[in-house]
Amino acid sequence: MAIKDNDNEIKERKIEIRSFDAYVKSIEIPSYQSTLYENMFHCYQIERIIIPTTIKTIEKNAFNDCEKLTSIEYEGEINGNCINECTRLQRIPMIKSLEPSNFYKCQLLTSIKLNDEITEIPSSCFMKCYRLKEINIPSKCTRIGMFSFKHCVSLTSLFIPFSVKRIEDGAMYGCYQMKKIEIQNEECEIGYDIIGECESIEEIRIGEEAIREYPYEITYEQMKEIEKKGITSTNVVIRREEVEKYGIEIIQDERVKRISDNCF
């Protein structure tokens, strides 16, 4: 098979390719290639990459700073760490491993499929994926890291399976359209302000019950938001901006259990 570069065929080669011209726009990898190497696609203009099933290894940062790349077409699975600073991606294969900030600011991704063998969602992994609407939390996942879905403003619901034992601070912070969160494990350790600025939240299910009292740490501002939906909270943390907005007397509120650092 020949390499296709901007719809023009390049002479067929039977040697492993290590890199491509920085201004290539479309690449179809030949079937004799077995590995995609680190920094192989450091291509500023590339928009589409088609990968055959003969590829067995994709190295870390293979797709590095491909700022116009929208589509990686591959029937296999890839590690999250092979993608770096590809913020226009719209189509990707199934992901089989993740690292912190892997898909940070991939603003055009609407759906992501994760392999069920993944055991954690690292910190800031999908932060600022503004158009992300669909993602599965793998059934073997035990931890959802800090800010992992922060400002995923198009997510409307999230199902968190029984395997998850810990959800860290601010995990869903700023998911403005989030309406429903379902956490199957009643014993799950839940961090501070995981639903901060989730203005649209209507239902939080823990175990089999839709809770009417939120028992985990939450900001004063978010406490007021969920009260509008009939959910109370008695584990409130006061921040500086809330003291400035509502006055120092709010620290006397019996629902306040902690005052954040540098509040005064």
Side-chain angles (χ1 to χ4, degrees), residues 8 12 40 66 72 78 84 93 98 128 143 187 210 214 232 240 248 250 256 258-259:
N8 298 313
E12 187 171 5
M40 187 171 179
C66 300
I72 301 172
I78 63 173
N84 181 46
L98 294 168
K128 294 188 177 181
R143 167 183 167 264
E187 305 299 320
Y214 186 82
T232 61
R240 176 193 290 268
I248 196 169
I250 64 171
V256 174
R258 183 164 71 87
I259 298 172

Side-chain angles (χ1 to χ4, degrees), residues 151-198:
H151 290 145
C152 289
V153 297
S154 296
L155 276 178
T156 59
S157 64
L158 197 63
F159 176 81
I160 300 172
F162 188 82
S163 60
V164 175
K165 297 177 180 179
R166 184 180 181 189
I167 303 172
E168 296 183 354
D169 298 356
M172 282 81 79
Y173 185 92
C175 293
Y176 304 129
Q177 296 190 62
M178 184 76 74
K179 294 182 178 180
K180 180 179 180 180
I181 298 171
E182 185 169 351
I183 302 169
Q184 282 200 311
N185 186 357
E186 294 181 10
E187 305 299 320
C188 183
E189 179 185 341
I190 295 179
Y192 166 57
D193 208 25
I194 68 163
I195 57 168
E197 295 193 15
C198 292

